[in-house]
């Protein structure tokens, strides 16, 4: 990732997505297997994808929540062009009944390499 001289500029370019997938009944195990493959590909080939986490909800076993953090818009475009992502997108319809995507603009963070610092002075 190219280092930005201006922390505020870097912070504004980083953004995330929260994606909620409602799964078809009985598809959670197969969806999770597909996600393990996808996340392995992201880890291996996407250094500008700063975070990519898949969560199951305790109270809703047929729901998955993704948290994705990208260095910038170009990093998202790179993510969407990857073979692993294309493979996932081609198959996701087999497992889900609905998808809700929310775009996030990073304000502050900690614990994520490459993300904007939790506090600036």
């Amino acid at each position: 990732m190219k280092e930005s001289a201006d922390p505020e500029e870097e912070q504004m370019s980083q953004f995330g997505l929260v994606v909620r997938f409602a799964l078809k009944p009985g598809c959670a195990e197969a969806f999770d297997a597909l996600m393990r493959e996808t996340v392995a590909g992201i880890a291996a080939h996407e250094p500008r994808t700063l975070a990519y986490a898949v969560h199951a909800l305790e109270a809703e076993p047929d729901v998955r929540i993704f948290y994705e953090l990208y260095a910038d818009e170009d990093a998202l475009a790179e993510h969407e062009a990857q073979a692993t992502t294309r493979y996932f997108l081609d198959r996701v319809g087999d497992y889900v009944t609905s998808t809700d995507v929310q775009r996030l603009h990073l304000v502050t963070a900690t614990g994520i390499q490459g993300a904007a610092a939790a506090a600036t002075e």
Side-chain angles (χ1 to χ4, degrees), residues 6-89:
D6 182 354
E8 285 185 30
E9 180 182 313
E10 179 178 323
Q11 189 172 1
M12 290 183 350
S13 68
Q14 295 172 344
F15 73 98
L17 300 174
V18 170
V19 185
R20 184 183 206 278
F21 289 96
L23 306 180
K24 294 176 182 176
C27 288
E29 189 175 315
F31 183 85
D32 291 346
L34 177 62
M35 283 317 308
R36 282 190 292 277
E37 292 175 27
T38 303
V39 169
I42 292 166
H45 302 290
E46 298 183 31
R48 294 174 1 102
T49 297
L50 305 177
Y52 199 99
V54 179
H55 303 272
L57 298 181
E58 279 186 26
E60 296 181 72
D62 289 331
V63 171
R64 295 296 179 270
I65 304 291
F66 289 21
Y67 173 70
E68 307 170 31
L69 180 62
Y70 298 95
D72 53 31
E73 292 281 344
D74 290 340
L76 174 59
E78 292 166 11
H79 166 72
E80 291 177 339
Q82 292 295 320
T84 4
T85 302
R86 301 303 324 150
Y87 183 85
F88 169 76
L89 292 173

Side-chain angles (χ1 to χ4, degrees), residues 91-107:
R91 283 154 186 79
V92 71
D94 295 341
Y95 306 111
V96 304
T97 60
S98 67
T99 305
D100 178 48
V101 179
Q102 299 291 320
R103 289 180 66 93
L104 310 170
H105 296 280
L106 186 66
V107 175

